[in-house]
């Protein structure tokens, strides 16, 4: 153990001195990740998109159609920004992204309603913008439904039906919707909290690949590993001493981000924030180990960084946050299950949103930590082999 601690301390001091000489390398594990995380939070800080611009094509110009426009504009998620006179103009507005949707009110809208017939209101929306389109459809249905219910209620009251009986007859069967998790539909708590660990996952694997690959590129691997004490313990200690600084730097950024997203923003998660932070530390350790393993196995910094991009860049897309895992094709689902981020984000959602018992999340935490240890140990023979073959050094 003494050999391990000596190698660890010596490697950590050497890496700290190198980071002081290379301010951009230090920035990549300190203030730059913090700045990127702050930008992600700022993007989603509104929580829920609102005041989405829509247009109205009112071909009726009646008091009832104007009332519908007022209802649409009063909905928090919508903002009526301009009228359109015809379909061609409305289509051009959608194509130029002046508005995300156009509500078309047909001619004789009020007259049709007064005759007791169903009037059709058409929503033209850009389904390429999935989030915008879904929110606008929901809010337009709400506004139109409110106006429709008011018209029907007023008509029945005029015919002498009691108000309570009218309300029951209009909706004899009601649906009770109970939102169990993220009831406020807060994108800050949902997307920002999921994107931040994905970003740190990318940076951590990059840092691991860079730290080890740079020694091979510069031909300093033998100096780093102190071959005079070439045992496994010394090699493991040297590797951990090199990776401890990015783990501490990125880990501190992650802790700061989650403390701010939760307690700092007045959100008290249903589950254990401590458990999430432990899992995040395990994910970062595994990411660093993956980067170091890629560099040690390929003996090429360029190849290791390419592997980092291949593995970590699509991790969020395959994590089941934006698209359900169950709906992915077999090969895509298999690839998703191999990625550590997929398992980490499941634990995060279980704890921050669902208040799952800790023993449900324990296998994921143990798996992330176990795989980090396995990959770190797997680096040892690869590094020892590379250190004994100077002809393999210097590769980009």
């Amino acid at each position: 153990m003494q050999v391990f601690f000596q190698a660890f301390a010596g490697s950590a001091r050497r890496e700290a001195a190198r980071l002081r000489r290379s301010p951009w390398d230090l920035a990549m594990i300190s203030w730059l990740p913090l700045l990127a995380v702050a930008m992600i939070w700022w993007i989603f800080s509104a929580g829920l998109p609102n005041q989405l611009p829509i247009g109205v094509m009112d071909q009726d110009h009646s008091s009832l159609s104007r009332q519908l426009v007022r209802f649409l504009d009063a909905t928090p998620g919508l903002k009526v920004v301009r009228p359109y006179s015809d379909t061609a103009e409305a289509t051009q507005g959608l194509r130029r992204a002046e508005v995300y949707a156009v509500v078309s009110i047909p001619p004789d809208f009020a007259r049709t309603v007064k005759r007791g017939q169903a009037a059709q209101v058409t929503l033209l929306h850009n389904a390429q913008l999935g989030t915008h389109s879904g929110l606008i459809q929901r809010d337009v249905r709400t506004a139109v439904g409110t106006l429709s219910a008011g018209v029907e209620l007023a008509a029945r009251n005029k015919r002498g039906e009691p108000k309570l009986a009218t309300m029951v007859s209009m909706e004899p069967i009601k649906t009770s919707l109970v939102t169990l998790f993220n009831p406020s539909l807060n994108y800050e708590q949902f997307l920002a909290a999921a994107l931040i660990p994905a970003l740190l996952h990318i940076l951590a694997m990059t840092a691991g690949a860079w730290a080890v690959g740079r020694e091979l590129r510069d031909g300093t691997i033998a100096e780093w590993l102190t071959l005079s004490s070439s045992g496994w313990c010394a090699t493991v200690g040297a590797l951990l001493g090199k990776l401890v600084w990015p783990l501490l730097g990125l880990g501190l950024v992650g802790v700061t981000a989650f403390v701010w997203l939760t307690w700092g923003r007045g959100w008290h998660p249903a589950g254990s924030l401590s458990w999430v932070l432990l899992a995040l530390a395990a994910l970062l350790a595994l990411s660093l180990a993956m980067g170091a393993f890629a560099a040690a196995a390929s003996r090429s910094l360029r190849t290791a960084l390419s592997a980092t991009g291949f593995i970590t860049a699509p991790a969020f897309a395959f994590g089941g946050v934006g698209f359900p895992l169950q709906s992915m094709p077999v090969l895509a689902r298999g690839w998703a299950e191999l990625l550590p981020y997929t398992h980490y984000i499941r634990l995060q959602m279980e704890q921050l949103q669902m208040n799952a018992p800790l023993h449900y999340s324990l296998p994921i935490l143990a798996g992330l930590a176990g795989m980090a240890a396995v990959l770190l140990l797997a680096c040892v023979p690869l590094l020892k082999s590379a250190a004994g073959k100077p002809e393999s050094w210097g590769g980009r």
Side-chain angles (χ1 to χ4, degrees), residues 4-333:
F4 169 84
F5 286 114
Q6 287 177 346
F8 174 85
S11 179
R13 285 194 297 268
R14 181 175 179 275
E15 189 69 10
R18 188 196 65 79
L19 289 172
R20 285 195 296 269
R21 294 192 303 270
S22 179
W24 281 113
D25 284 1
L26 179 60
M28 288 301 296
I29 60 171
S30 56
W31 64 266
L32 274 179
L34 188 62
L35 180 62
V37 164
M39 184 175 296
I40 290 176
W41 165 76
W42 175 68
I43 291 171
F44 296 99
S45 59
L48 187 65
N50 51 37
Q51 299 293 293
L52 296 174
I54 66 169
V56 172
M57 188 166 60
D58 186 358
Q59 302 174 76
D60 188 46
H61 303 290
S62 64
S63 60
L64 186 62
S65 67
R66 288 192 292 271
Q67 186 178 7
L68 175 56
V69 173
R70 288 195 296 271
F71 275 32
L72 291 169
D73 200 38
T75 304
L78 304 176
K79 182 175 179 59
V80 178
V81 294
R82 62 167 299 177
Y84 292 102
S85 58
D86 54 51
T87 304
E89 186 183 1
T91 302
Q92 288 301 317
L94 286 169
R95 287 176 176 171
R96 290 194 298 264
E98 295 175 350
V99 293
Y100 295 131
V102 175
V103 177
S104 175
I105 304 173
D108 296 330
F109 172 69
R111 186 179 302 175
T112 302
V113 171
K114 289 177 181 178
R115 288 201 301 259
Q117 299 174 349
Q120 186 76 34
V121 174
T122 304
L123 174 66
L124 309 174
H125 60 95
N126 185 355
Q128 287 181 317
L129 305 173
T131 301
H132 304 65
S133 176
L135 293 172
I136 289 172
Q137 288 181 65
R138 182 199 64 189
D139 288 343
V140 169
R141 286 195 192 100
T142 300
V144 173
T146 302
L147 178 63
S148 177
V151 170
E152 180 67 15
L153 185 61
R156 294 194 179 196
N157 284 339
K158 287 182 179 179
R159 292 197 296 266
E161 292 187 27
K163 183 177 180 180
L164 182 59
T166 300
M167 295 178 66
V168 172
S169 63
M170 286 175 59
E171 194 175 8
I173 300 176
K174 291 186 178 182
T175 302
S176 178
L177 300 179
V178 180
T179 304
L180 298 178
F181 316 118
N182 194 15
S184 63
L185 302 177
N186 191 310
Y187 280 78
E188 180 186 4
Q189 298 175 9
F190 174 59
L191 275 180
L195 284 167
I196 287 172
L199 171 66
L200 295 178
H201 174 46
I202 295 172
L203 294 174
M205 188 171 176
T206 303
W210 180 261
V212 175
R214 189 193 66 255
E215 300 287 356
L216 289 161
R217 182 198 64 184
D218 298 341
T220 56
I221 185 171
E223 174 191 342
W224 165 46
L225 292 178
T226 59
L227 292 180
S228 58
S229 177
S230 58
W232 274 62
C233 282
T235 305
V236 172
L239 180 59
L240 292 179
K242 176 172 284 293
L243 299 181
V244 68
W245 298 116
L247 179 62
L248 289 175
L250 296 175
L252 183 59
V253 171
V255 170
T256 303
F258 274 99
V259 170
W260 170 248
L261 277 177
T262 54
W263 300 336
R265 298 286 286 168
W267 172 31
H268 299 282
S272 172
L273 178 60
S274 301
W275 206 250
V276 173
L277 295 179
L278 281 174
L280 179 61
L283 175 68
L284 294 178
L286 176 54
S287 304
L288 288 165
M290 290 166 61
F293 179 82
S298 65
R299 299 184 187 178
S300 167
L301 176 59
R302 179 174 57 192
T303 303
L305 291 176
S306 298
T308 295
F310 179 74
I311 293 171
T312 61
F316 178 81
F318 284 87
V321 178
F323 191 85
L325 284 175
Q326 292 80 0
S327 299
M328 291 182 184
V330 175
L331 292 179
R333 174 71 183 271

